[in-house]
Amino acid sequence: MENITGIIIAFISGVFGPISVMYTKHLLEKRKPKPDMVTEALRVGELVTSKIDHIREEFNADRVWITQFHNGGHFLHSNKSMQKFSVVYEVDAAGVLPVSTVFTNIPISLYSKCFSEILSTRFIGISDYEDETVATYGLKPGAEATGAKATYIVGLFDFGTGKLMGSVGIDFLEHQLTICLIL
């Protein structure tokens, strides 16, 4: 009888021991706080800001920004979504005013020449807004408002679908030599 009792105890310990350990781990995991969405967004924001600040320093630029397309709401007459873009990340040199406050919820249709060019060539390079021979793709009024003398924009495309999701822009408030980017 003692042997059977020992076997039963060993069997119960062998089967229910790991189950109780797994159950205890499960209870502890449930109590562990999940990452907060705001905390995660801040972590990603700090990472992106750090990277684009590195770009700004590398090119000795005055401003680097990232735009993102988003749904801007519905029109009453058509009930269709209006596509807009906003500057979602930006770093500026000391004393340079940000453009993110100006370029928020801007209808894409106001910059159709710019985005058409980015769709076809993936890049816009404006080395001097004052040079009449340089195409500005409708960006000159915005450049005048933000003090940019030269702007370089690279489209951000989804790897899977190939759709344009936004752009990265580099602004210079002083005239610069043409930048060559390898895409």
Side-chain angles (χ1 to χ4, degrees):
M1 185 72 157
E2 289 177 20
N3 287 340
I4 292 179
T5 305
I7 292 172
I8 291 173
I9 291 173
F11 176 75
I12 290 172
S13 297
V15 171
F16 290 109
I19 291 173
S20 65
V21 169
M22 287 179 9
Y23 180 72
T24 304
K25 282 183 179 178
H26 175 71
L27 287 178
L28 291 174
E29 286 294 318
K30 281 178 67 174
R31 291 183 183 164
K32 188 175 163 182
K34 300 213 188 273
D36 181 4
M37 286 177 51
V38 172
T39 303
E40 183 64 16
L42 289 172
R43 187 188 69 74
V44 169
E46 288 174 3
L47 178 64
V48 171
T49 300
S50 163
K51 297 297 183 186
I52 64 174
D53 193 38
H54 177 75
I55 292 169
R56 187 190 63 74
E57 290 173 358
E58 184 78 22
F59 288 105
N60 196 26
D62 296 299
R63 181 186 299 122
V64 176
W65 41 265
I66 297 177
T67 63
Q68 182 178 9
F69 297 124
H70 56 86
N71 184 342
H74 298 285
F75 282 118
L76 293 176
H77 67 280
S78 67
N79 203 28
K80 291 190 177 187
S81 296
M82 177 184 216
Q83 293 300 303
K84 295 185 176 183
F85 73 93
S86 295
V87 172
V88 292
Y89 296 103
E90 177 180 8
V91 292
D92 305 296
V96 175
L97 294 175
V99 297
S100 57
T101 56
V102 176
F103 291 100
T104 301
N105 291 320
I106 305 295
I108 291 173
S109 60
L110 293 178
Y111 289 90
S112 58
K113 289 180 185 178
C114 165
F115 290 119
S116 292
E117 181 66 17
I118 290 173
L119 279 170
S120 66
T121 65
R122 299 182 175 263
F123 174 78
I124 290 178
I126 303 168
S127 58
D128 184 356
Y129 280 105
E130 295 173 8
D131 184 348
E132 297 293 326
T133 63
V134 174
T136 60
Y137 308 101
L139 297 175
K140 190 170 183 176
E144 290 171 349
T146 61
K149 302 290 185 208
T151 300
Y152 300 88
I153 304 172
V154 177
L156 296 174
F157 292 85
D158 182 279
F159 288 125
T161 64
K163 291 182 180 180
L164 181 63
M165 301 180 338
S167 60
V168 176
I170 303 173
D171 287 341
F172 296 92
L173 303 188
E174 300 294 326
H175 293 287
Q176 299 289 322
L177 297 174
T178 302
I179 293 178
C180 294
L181 296 176
I182 299 172
L183 301 177

